[in-house]
Amino acid sequence: MAQWSPTVADLAHPIALALGGNWRPQQVLHGVQELAHAANLTHLDGRQLHLSERYDDPGHLHIRGAFPATDYPFRTGERDSIRVATDEDPARIAALIRDHLIPAHRAVHQRVKDHNREQAAMRRQTEDAAREIAARLPGARTRIDGTNAYIHMSLKPGEVRIGLESGSVNIVLQDAPMIIADAVVFAVSRFLPHIQTPEDERDQHADEFDL
C-alpha cells in the first residue's frame, strides 16, 4: 500500500496550530479550484506567509513572507525563504518559521506598509497639486502617473508643459506669450509659494524651469 503523503494544504493547519493562535491557514484558489500544492498562513495583524511545493522541487516545502502590492525597493535578504521536507514534523517546521523567517518578515512588512502609506499620501498631494494648477490654466489637460503628474496646454503658437515629479516642479514654456507665462508662474507660485522664478528666464524663447 502506498504511503500517504500530505499536501501543502494538509500541512498548513498543523503548522498554524504550532505557530500559535494568531495564525490561520488559508486555502489558495486558482479561479474556484483549491490548490493542493500551495497555502497561506495569515496573521491576525495582516501579515501573511506563503507555502508552496514547487514543480521542480517535489517533496519540499518553500515558505516565504508575502507582501501587499508595492513598489518598495526590496534589498538583498528582505525576501528570503526557507525550504524544508514536506514530511518534516509540523512543529519543527513552525519552529524554523518562527526563528528564521518571522522576525525579518515582520520588520520588512512594516517597512512596506510605511512606504505604501507615504506613497499614497504623495499621490494624493500630487493629484491635489495638479488639479489646483490646472484649474488656474483654462484648457489644460492633466495626466496622473503614480506620484507624478503632467499638465499640458496647447497654444497657437506654442505650448506649456508642467511636470510634478518626486516633489519637484518642472515648467517648459515653448513660444508662450508673456500673459500665458505670467499665468503659469502665478498658478504654480500660488500653490507652491516657496518657489520663485527668475525674471530673466521668463523672456526666453523656450523657458524650462526646474523648481
Side-chain angles (χ1 to χ4, degrees), residues 35-189:
L35 299 183
H37 65 274
N40 291 323
L41 299 178
T42 300
H43 194 275
L44 293 181
D45 66 7
R47 283 178 290 138
Q48 194 171 72
L49 305 176
H50 183 69
L51 291 65
S52 64
E53 182 181 20
R54 299 189 336 200
Y55 73 92
D56 59 347
D57 192 19
H60 290 90
L61 186 63
H62 292 258
I63 309 166
R64 59 178 174 81
F67 299 96
T70 187
D71 62 356
Y72 171 83
F74 288 99
R75 296 180 287 271
T76 301
E78 289 189 329
R79 289 189 291 187
D80 285 347
S81 62
I82 59 176
R83 172 180 177 270
V84 295
T86 54
D87 59 1
E88 181 68 76
D89 177 51
R92 169 64 177 160
I93 295 175
L96 291 172
I97 294 172
R98 188 181 301 111
D99 295 341
H100 299 289
L101 189 61
I102 286 179
H105 178 253
R106 181 190 296 115
V108 178
H109 190 270
Q110 186 60 51
R111 288 197 286 272
V112 169
K113 286 176 59 179
D114 292 342
H115 173 84
N116 285 356
R117 189 179 303 112
E118 292 169 2
Q119 291 295 95
M122 185 176 294
R123 279 193 294 271
R124 289 192 297 270
Q125 292 170 3
T126 297
E127 291 171 2
D128 290 345
R131 280 194 294 267
E132 288 279 349
I133 293 173
R136 295 188 174 96
L137 300 172
R141 301 194 308 273
T142 303
R143 177 170 64 87
I144 306 294
D145 183 11
T147 57
N148 300 329
Y150 307 95
I151 302 166
H152 182 264
M153 288 181 65
S154 292
L155 307 173
K156 295 182 179 181
E159 65 175 343
V160 174
R161 299 194 304 273
I162 304 173
L164 308 177
E165 303 179 14
S166 302
S168 66
V169 181
N170 179 272
I171 304 174
V172 175
L173 306 175
Q174 181 70 45
D175 291 334
M178 181 58 68
I179 189 171
I180 297 296
D182 286 340
V184 170
V185 172
F186 174 75
V188 174
S189 63

Side-chain angles (χ1 to χ4, degrees), residues 19-30:
L19 280 174
N22 289 329
W23 290 94
R24 298 287 188 271
Q26 283 189 327
Q27 296 172 328
V28 173
L29 302 177
H30 180 69

